[in-house]
């Protein structure tokens, strides 16, 4: 079902205590530097290559893959971003998470077309080449699957011992460039009474979702570029919808058709999937914006820390706009401290938060909770859990708790 656990966790065990090591006395430093240049300075370096790749020593930094139907449908599942191995906020293209329902289609961009039809005055057909001639905009945006953090949801009553990326890695951030959908719809001219759009992908399951026309005309992109290069096949090459702040499923990849309609289509992914079952047996439908969330990426599950100075860092984001504040607790939520933010939090994109901490070696529980501009604040897992039915897993934005044992090991716990 899943790729064997990579060796990277064992290789990256010692976080913290580093500052003490680098403050070695002068004598030790001199001995280390020596007179001799290191061996890699004694020979000319490797020449150029056309497309770069990470250092070979970092080759074990990769996505965790889950393929629940491996035998019948190996392309249905997820590949999760290793959040614990990354810094900053933008996800390298090769590590962007992937959620696909039936694999990555082998699209010929010369034969791929996007059709806008339905309740419009003018039907329009665009090749990728046509779209490349339109005015474009660039925005840094996160995409988060509504199934993200399912390991901490009601589907898992006991906390699993997994790494940060395995639990929360169905969120990634890229700088997306594309054509504002409002421009294309402006040319197609939706008829009066049209309120929804059905977006369909060119993959084997023709994934379809209903999107309110109001959002489509507001800030949705038909994206062609991801972090400056053409979109990766996994992310929807040659074109996809990017719907700022709203659940990942609406960001239809390999975009093929947009039908302007009066009513939603009630597709599988907005009825049986991605709806939120409550304890009373009723389900909430169309939970569009992803709620405010934060997670400490270091230290995090599977890592091991040493007593002394520790730089705590993590990500916070909200589908309601910008994050306003992130608080960190080192005592299981008894007291909270406001974390430093890396600059002004952007709209619909994560902000990195940071806090310096000295770990005294006693067991501790690290939490983070974010508040967004709409005033929403993350709840405890118990509070979140009580709002939904047994087994419910979508839209889990509960506070993550990392338990630090006396031996420095870090694990996911429920409080
Ligand atoms: N055509 C198509 N679009 C799709 C999907 C899919 O399976 N097929 N998966 C959706 C889901 S559930 C999510 S969370 C996002 C994931 O985008 P990513 O794989 O680029 O991270 O794409 C959405 N768009
Ligand atoms: Mo998703």
């Amino acid at each position: 079902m899943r790729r064997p656990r990579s060796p990277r966790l064992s290789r990256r065990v010692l976080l913290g205590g580093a500052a003490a090591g680098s403050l070695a006395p002068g004598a030790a430093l001199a001995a280390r530097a020596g007179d001799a240049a290191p061996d890699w300075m004694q020979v000319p370096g490797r020449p150029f290559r056309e497309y770069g790749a990470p250092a070979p020593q970092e080759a074990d930094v990769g996505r965790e893959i889950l393929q629940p139907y491996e035998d019948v449908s190996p392309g249905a599942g997820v590949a999760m971003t290793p959040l614990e191995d990354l810094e900053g906020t933008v996800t390298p293209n090769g590590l962007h998470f992937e959620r696909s329902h039936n694999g990555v289609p082998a699209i010929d961009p010369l034969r791929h077309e996007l059709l806008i039809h339905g309740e419009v005055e003018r039907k329009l057909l665009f090749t990728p080449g046509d779209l490349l001639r339109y005015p474009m905009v660039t925005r840094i945006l996160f995409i988060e699957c509504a199934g993200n953090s399912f390991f901490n949801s009601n589907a898992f009553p006991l906390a699993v011992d997994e790494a940060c990326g395995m639990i929360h890695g169905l969120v990634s951030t890229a700088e997306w460039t594309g054509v504002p959908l409002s421009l294309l719809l402006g040319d197609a001219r939706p008829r009066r009474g049209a309120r929804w759009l059905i977006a369909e992908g060119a993959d084997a399951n023709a994934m379809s979702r209903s999107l309110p026309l109001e959002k489509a005309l507001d800030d949705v992109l038909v994206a062609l570029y991801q972090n400056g290069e053409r979109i990766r096949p996994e992310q929807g090459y040659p074109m996809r919808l990017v719907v700022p702040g709203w659940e990942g499923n609406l960001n239809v990849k390999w975009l093929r058709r947009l039908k302007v309609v009066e009513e939603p289509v009630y597709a599988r992914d907005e009825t049986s999937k991605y709806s939120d079952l409550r304890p009373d047996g009723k389900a909430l439908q169309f939970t569009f914006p992803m709620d405010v969330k934060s997670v400490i990426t270091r230290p995090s599950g599977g890592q091991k820390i040493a007593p002394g100075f520790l730089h705590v860092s993590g990500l916070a984001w909200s589908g309601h706009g910008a994050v306003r504040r992130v608080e960190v607790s080192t005592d299981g939520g008894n007291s909270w401290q406001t974390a430093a933010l890396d600059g002004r939090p952007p709209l619909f994109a994560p902000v990195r938060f940071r806090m310096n901490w000295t770990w005294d070696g006693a067991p501790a529980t690290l939490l983070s909770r974010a508040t967004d501009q709409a005033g929403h604040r993350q709840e405890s897992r118990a509070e979140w859990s009580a709002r939904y039915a047994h087994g419910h897993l979508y839209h889990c934005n509960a506070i993550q708790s990392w338990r630090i044992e006396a031996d420095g090991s870090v694990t996911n716990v429920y409080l």
Side-chain angles (χ1 to χ4, degrees), residues 314-353:
L315 290 169
W317 63 97
S318 171
H320 294 281
V323 166
R324 194 197 283 153
R325 183 160 120 105
V326 182
E327 297 159 286
V328 171
S329 172
T330 57
D331 57 10
N334 289 324
S335 64
W336 296 89
Q337 232 183 295
T338 300
L341 302 180
D342 266 3
R344 194 172 152 190
L347 285 175
F348 307 119
V351 64
R352 185 49 75 174
F353 63 90

Side-chain angles (χ1 to χ4, degrees), residues 96-101 143 145 201 203 205 207 234-235 240 248-249 251-254 274:
H96 196 286
F97 90 87
E98 180 188 352
R99 167 75 178 110
S100 294
H101 292 74
I143 294 179
C145 181
D203 50 342
N205 71 326
M207 211 209 72
E234 294 94 320
Q235 267 66 61
R240 80 171 308 163
N249 192 259
N251 295 250
V252 174
K253 303 190 279 189
W254 315 295
Y274 301 108

Side-chain angles (χ1 to χ4, degrees), residues 150-157 381 390-393:
F150 65 85
F151 269 131
N152 280 354
S153 72
N154 290 356
F156 290 83
R381 184 183 175 277
H390 175 77
H392 172 71
L393 61 85

Side-chain angles (χ1 to χ4, degrees), residues 78 97 99 101 144-148 170 247-250 274 394:
V78 292
F97 90 87
R99 167 75 178 110
H101 292 74
E144 182 180 19
C145 181
N148 195 23
L170 291 179
E247 66 177 5
N249 192 259
L250 291 156
Y274 301 108
Y394 297 117

Side-chain angles (χ1 to χ4, degrees), residues 20 41 44 84 93 137 170 192 214 217 231 244 257 329 333 375 393:
M41 292 180 71
E84 64 279 9
N93 285 343
V137 295
L170 291 179
R192 193 192 287 271
E214 195 183 350
L217 290 169
I231 290 182
R257 292 198 290 196
S329 172
L393 61 85

